[in-house]
């Protein structure tokens, strides 16, 4: 699935779907996609501030979105199950595991580095915490 016709077909099958990719680089993207496919990553989180300019990009329960490879090739369809605004300091061990398959302290350290590089970190900062399920693995269409 690499050409624009395939992407348009996905938009017809999953109306309103946005596209996104996991991680901040290709290696992270590949690692996180493996965790999703293994059922070990079932959540995403991002700073609420990241949606200030594009509020329509906020995840919405029931909406399907297209996860892509680092190069933009569609690879998975996910459906948002739930969305919660939560302070960084209130994220639980279970939520950290769902988001990264890491223990809470490791998750906090990793995310603090990420947020410090992308707009600033505050333990009280609001996060958008989304749980999702895989609807379709596009590798199956090959």
């Amino acid at each position: 699935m690499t050409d624009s016709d395939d992407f348009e077909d996905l938009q017809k099958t999953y109306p309103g779907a946005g596209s996104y990719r996991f991680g901040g680089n290709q290696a992270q993207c590949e690692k996180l996609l493996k965790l999703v496919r293994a059922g070990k990553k079932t959540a995403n989180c991002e700073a609420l501030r990241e949606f200030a300019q594009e509020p329509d990009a906020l995840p919405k329960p029931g909406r399907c979105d297209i996860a892509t490879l680092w190069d933009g090739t569609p690879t998975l369809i996910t459906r948002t199950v739930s969305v919660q605004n939560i302070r960084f300091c209130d994220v639980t061990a279970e939520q950290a595991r769902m988001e990264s398959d890491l223990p809470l302290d490791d998750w906090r350290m990793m995310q603090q580095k990420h947020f410090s590089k992308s707009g600033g970190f505050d333990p009280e900062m609001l996060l958008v915490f989304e749980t999702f399920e895989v609807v379709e693995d596009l590798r199956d269409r090959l």
Side-chain angles (χ1 to χ4, degrees):
M1 305 227 32
T2 57
D3 67 22
S4 62
D5 289 341
D6 291 330
F7 213 95
E8 288 175 22
D9 287 345
L10 289 173
Q11 291 291 325
K12 289 176 187 170
T13 305
Y14 302 102
S19 66
Y20 69 99
R21 62 182 173 204
F22 293 104
N25 60 51
Q26 185 172 351
Q28 282 181 338
C29 183
E30 290 171 5
K31 178 182 176 184
L32 294 172
L33 284 167
K34 284 180 186 175
L35 290 174
V36 171
R37 286 189 165 108
K40 294 181 178 183
K41 177 175 173 54
T42 58
N44 284 321
C45 76
E46 187 53 81
L48 179 60
R49 68 175 175 248
E50 294 298 318
F51 299 96
Q53 299 301 316
E54 232 183 310
D56 288 343
L58 278 163
K60 295 173 183 59
R63 187 180 74 199
C64 290
D65 289 303
I66 304 163
T68 68
L69 301 175
W70 190 252
D71 68 4
T73 302
T75 191
L76 292 171
I77 304 297
T78 60
R79 178 183 297 117
T80 301
V81 174
S82 66
V83 179
Q84 177 184 11
N85 289 350
I86 185 170
R87 295 181 313 166
F88 178 90
C89 59
D90 293 333
V91 171
T92 67
E94 176 66 12
Q95 288 171 314
R97 187 198 58 72
M98 292 169 59
E99 204 270 335
S100 65
D101 198 35
L102 292 173
L104 182 58
D105 288 342
D106 293 346
W107 178 88
R108 284 183 174 152
M109 186 173 58
M110 178 186 74
Q111 293 292 29
Q112 183 173 346
K113 286 179 188 177
H114 166 72
F115 293 128
S116 293
K117 291 178 184 177
S118 64
F121 172 76
D122 181 331
E124 303 276 325
M125 66 189 290
L126 275 178
L127 305 178
V128 176
F129 193 89
E130 169 197 21
T131 60
F132 63 85
E133 61 188 1
V134 174
V135 174
E136 183 177 358
D137 189 334
L138 299 174
R139 292 184 308 182
D140 297 340
R141 288 192 180 201
L142 299 176

